[in-house]
Amino acid sequence: RYIIFSITLRKEKLILHKFSMILKNSENMNHDESMKKLIKEFPKSIYTRLIYVLLENYKKGKNSLLDLIEGNILIEKINLEKRLVVLNTLGNNAPFICLLGTVFGIIKAFNDLGSLGSQAAEMAMKSISTALFATAFGLAIAIPIVMVNNYFTRKIKVIMAKMEALSKEFLAELDKKEV
């Protein structure tokens, strides 16, 4: 996932800047060659895929174009969020799984207290220590996973906002050129 994000984010400023310049510098909507060059230059970018949709469909009318833009943005969002489910699941469940280990460890400690007599205190302390270690281990896994998940979730929101801004800029230019 990180590779896809880095490819998208690495060139995004350049792509968005070039797109804006192409739109502002064209007198009408006949900027096909400049846009096609931009698409060929950055074929794996989310933004150039949206630009391709805009370029191929702007003559179909604004309502149709709005629907296509919305659909494209949703598809890209689904693709970006595809594996975030794994991070969500791990981040949400790791503490509970290790808490279960803690509960079993404490149960073992109480069992040792009841069955071992005078040696029980030492065994119980070892069991409780192991149980608490399981909890700490679960939190040590969960906290970084939640941080990474939050990072990617935020990046997806930013990418989606930039895609909407890009499409609105295109639609605004389309309105200006048609008047």
Side-chain angles (χ1 to χ4, degrees):
R1 248 22 251 159
Y2 179 75
I3 293 169
I4 292 170
F5 276 107
S6 65
I7 289 170
T8 298
L9 298 176
R10 190 178 311 141
K11 304 285 182 171
E12 82 176 12
K13 287 181 184 178
L14 180 61
I15 293 167
L16 295 175
H17 177 72
K18 283 185 174 187
F19 178 76
S20 292
M21 291 296 102
I22 291 169
L23 280 181
K24 290 176 182 161
N25 292 333
S26 64
E27 294 179 18
N28 54 32
M29 292 309 285
N30 292 328
H31 40 59
D32 290 357
E33 290 307 313
S34 300
M35 291 288 190
K36 285 179 183 175
K37 183 179 175 188
L38 180 62
I39 292 167
K40 285 181 184 175
E41 190 176 348
F42 304 102
K44 293 185 178 186
S45 170
I46 262 181
Y47 303 109
T48 54
R49 288 194 297 264
L50 178 61
I51 292 168
Y52 179 80
V53 169
L54 295 171
L55 187 61
E56 291 294 312
N57 297 291
Y58 75 91
K59 292 179 183 175
K60 293 181 180 178
K62 191 170 184 178
N63 288 335
S64 176
L65 190 57
L66 285 169
D67 290 340
L68 288 167
I69 290 168
E70 187 177 322
N72 183 268
I73 289 174
L74 286 174
I75 288 168
E76 295 295 350
K77 184 176 181 182
I78 289 167
N79 287 336
L80 289 173
E81 291 178 338
K82 200 178 284 184
R83 290 184 184 87
L84 279 181
V85 172
V86 174
L87 287 177
N88 284 328
T89 303
L90 288 174
N92 290 330
N93 293 318
F96 295 116
I97 291 169
C98 292
L99 186 60
L100 183 63
T102 303
V103 170
F104 285 140
I106 291 173
I107 289 171
K108 183 181 180 316
F110 283 122
N111 185 37
D112 291 345
L113 274 174
S115 64
L116 293 177
S118 63
Q119 298 172 339
E122 185 179 329
M123 291 298 289
M125 292 302 151
K126 287 181 182 178
S127 295
I128 290 172
S129 172
T130 303
L132 293 175
F133 178 75
T135 303
F137 182 72
L139 291 173
I141 291 173
I143 291 170
I145 288 174
V146 169
M147 290 171 62
V148 169
N149 183 57
N150 290 342
Y151 170 80
F152 284 123
T153 300
R154 173 75 179 126
K155 287 296 183 188
I156 289 172
K157 286 179 183 177
V158 169
I159 289 169
M160 294 299 108
K162 287 182 179 182
M163 288 180 73
E164 289 203 22
L166 183 139
S167 60
K168 287 182 181 193
E169 184 178 355
F170 184 86
L171 291 170
E173 287 295 322
L174 185 63
D175 285 344
K176 261 199 275 184
K177 309 280 181 182
E178 288 180 351
V179 172

